[in-house]
Amino acid sequence: MLTGVLRIYRVTASNVSFLNSGNLLHTIFPRSQCWCVDGQSVFVLRIRQDSYYRMELPFETDDDKAKIEQFKTVLSQVLQYEKTQCPFRQSFEVD
């Protein structure tokens, strides 16, 4: 588990972005997938088939909530954010 600053940055003149937190550096391609799984501040990034990163962001203050909205905007610019069906959500009804 990593705790600390989360950065997403893009190399100049490239479609490839990078996720950085502490000693973690992971490539984000435009077709990468990510979902907000709790509707607030828990995100899951698919890094390869059946392999995921879970990111939990603070959601206590108005500043936290504003940063999460900025994070969602950045995600939608660098990858497929909420564009595919989330493998962790089940849609079913109980009669």
Side-chain angles (χ1 to χ4, degrees), residues 36-94:
C36 181
V37 294
D38 73 341
Q40 292 181 343
S41 63
V42 178
F43 298 85
V44 174
L45 172 66
R46 183 178 185 177
I47 57 172
R48 67 183 71 83
Q49 185 71 28
D50 298 325
S51 188
Y52 303 88
Y53 285 142
R54 178 183 170 128
M55 299 172 280
E56 296 183 24
L57 305 178
F59 191 75
E60 297 171 7
T61 67
D62 288 339
D63 188 45
D64 292 341
K65 294 173 186 174
K67 287 180 181 178
I68 288 172
E69 290 306 312
Q70 291 174 344
F71 184 64
K72 290 177 181 179
T73 300
V74 169
L75 288 176
S76 67
Q77 293 171 354
V78 299
L79 53 75
Q80 293 186 23
Y81 174 65
E82 300 262 320
K83 297 222 165 90
T84 59
Q85 184 174 348
C86 178
F88 304 104
R89 290 190 198 129
Q90 296 179 1
S91 59
F92 61 89
E93 295 180 23
V94 177

Side-chain angles (χ1 to χ4, degrees), residues 5-44:
V5 177
L6 176 67
R7 294 179 191 95
I8 295 179
Y9 60 92
R10 182 177 286 171
V11 177
T12 305
S14 173
N15 286 338
V16 177
S17 300
F18 295 90
L19 172 71
N20 173 244
S21 181
N23 62 356
L24 169 76
L25 181 64
H26 185 73
T27 308
I28 299 175
F29 297 102
R31 295 190 54 94
S32 297
Q33 300 169 327
C34 186
W35 307 272
C36 181
V37 294
D38 73 341
Q40 292 181 343
S41 63
V42 178
F43 298 85
V44 174

